[in-house]
Amino acid sequence: MISKINKKGDKLISVYWFAILVIVAVGVVLMVNAFYGNPYDVRQIESETLADHVANCIYYGGQVNPSLLSADGVFRPDFRDNFMHMCFLNFSVEGEFTPVPYYIEVNFSSGINDFKNVFGISEGNINLRPDCYISAGNMQNLAKCTQKEFFMKSSSGKVYAVKILSVVSKVTENTNG
Amino acid sequence: MVKINSKAQVGETLTWIVATILVVVLLIFFIFGSSLLSGTKKVSDTFRESLTSGQVQEGNDVFLQKSLFAYASIGSVSTQLELDKILEKMTLSGNFTGDYNQTKKEVLLNYNLK
């Protein structure tokens, strides 16, 4: 009689352990899925890299890009026209109606304390620009911006302040939204 | 005898139920925690101090380096002083990352070697 009751109990315990095992396994799968299912957000570092790349294209090793400034210190409009090609950039996207997820803007002002623009370059999707000036609650769905400034000296001895604004959208690739 | 047995059975069942609840609650807690942690998966350019070597150049801000290179190559002393002040101010206001004096030292050294 006792051994019969024990057998029943053993069976019940085995079923219970199996159920717990399944619950824990499902939990582990859910945890891994929740953590690794979300993409890494690399937009901030991507926009910083883009700004670095453009800065290096304009001024590298103490030398201004010879295609940007003429010998007599005049900005060349053909650099602006061929900016993407000159700086080895490619913003093209797949699909006819897919908006470009990048925007880059470079402004040059002459002198150290002069804030008057003397030359400007902009490429990409200008509609992303307002995202840089919005402070909303859910910033995850806004494009990430990097605003940098540096000084360069031309071969003619003139100093220019260069302001770079780079914006990267790519919300779907970097978030769950 | 039968009465004592039933009491023990109730006690044992209660232990199992509590253990089960504990396992489920802990699982839910960890699932919630991992989903919260997954929201913070951001890659930035700042690394843990323990991961970076002290022997590596401290002034690694490209924009500050470029500005200091322009500063070093300016012929006029008054313009140089003015730019130095502006760059220092910009570093203090967070426009540049890294140590200003360290970067300046490194850039001037490189410039003189050039």
Side-chain angles (χ1 to χ4, degrees), chain B residues 49-64:
Chain B
E49 259 180 58
S50 56
L51 290 175
T52 51
S53 164
Q55 290 168 326
V56 183
Q57 278 198 335
E58 275 186 48
N60 54 2
D61 190 313
V62 177
F63 300 93
L64 180 59

Side-chain angles (χ1 to χ4, degrees), chain B residues 92-108:
Chain B
L92 285 173
S93 60
N95 281 20
F96 300 123
T97 53
D99 191 303
Y100 177 70
N101 291 321
Q102 180 68 29
T103 314
K104 193 176 169 183
K105 231 187 266 175
E106 285 164 8
V107 169
L108 289 177

Side-chain angles (χ1 to χ4, degrees), chain A residues 72-93:
Chain A
D72 49 342
V74 177
F75 282 97
R76 293 168 61 169
D78 57 319
F79 181 82
R80 176 171 38 207
D81 300 337
N82 300 310
F83 174 69
M84 299 293 281
H85 177 70
M86 297 271 196
C87 289
F88 306 103
L89 289 168
N90 184 9
F91 289 172
S92 56
V93 283

Side-chain angles (χ1 to χ4, degrees), chain A residues 23-68:
Chain A
I23 289 169
V24 170
V26 168
V28 169
V29 168
L30 280 176
M31 271 186 267
V32 171
N33 188 48
F35 189 77
Y36 288 103
N38 277 351
Y40 276 94
D41 193 350
V42 294
R43 288 174 298 165
Q44 193 59 52
I45 201 157
E46 197 178 355
S47 70
E48 281 169 23
T49 309
L50 181 61
D52 281 8
H53 179 81
V54 171
N56 284 334
C57 172
I58 290 164
Y59 190 61
Y60 189 77
Q63 298 286 319
V64 180
N65 191 328
S67 313
L68 173 65

Side-chain angles (χ1 to χ4, degrees), chain A residues 76-137:
Chain A
R76 293 168 61 169
D78 57 319
F79 181 82
R80 176 171 38 207
D81 300 337
N82 300 310
F83 174 69
M84 299 293 281
H85 177 70
M86 297 271 196
C87 289
F88 306 103
L89 289 168
N90 184 9
F91 289 172
S92 56
V93 283
E94 276 177 32
E96 209 176 330
F97 300 107
T98 316
V100 176
Y102 300 103
Y103 177 69
I104 188 93
E105 188 180 288
V106 189
N107 286 311
F108 299 86
S109 48
S110 83
I112 297 170
N113 287 316
D114 189 12
F115 300 106
K116 204 177 150 196
N117 269 10
V118 288
F119 193 68
I121 300 164
S122 67
E123 281 292 340
N125 186 355
I126 198 165
N127 295 324
L128 299 175
R129 203 175 183 274
D131 280 14
C132 303
Y133 309 104
I134 296 172
S135 52

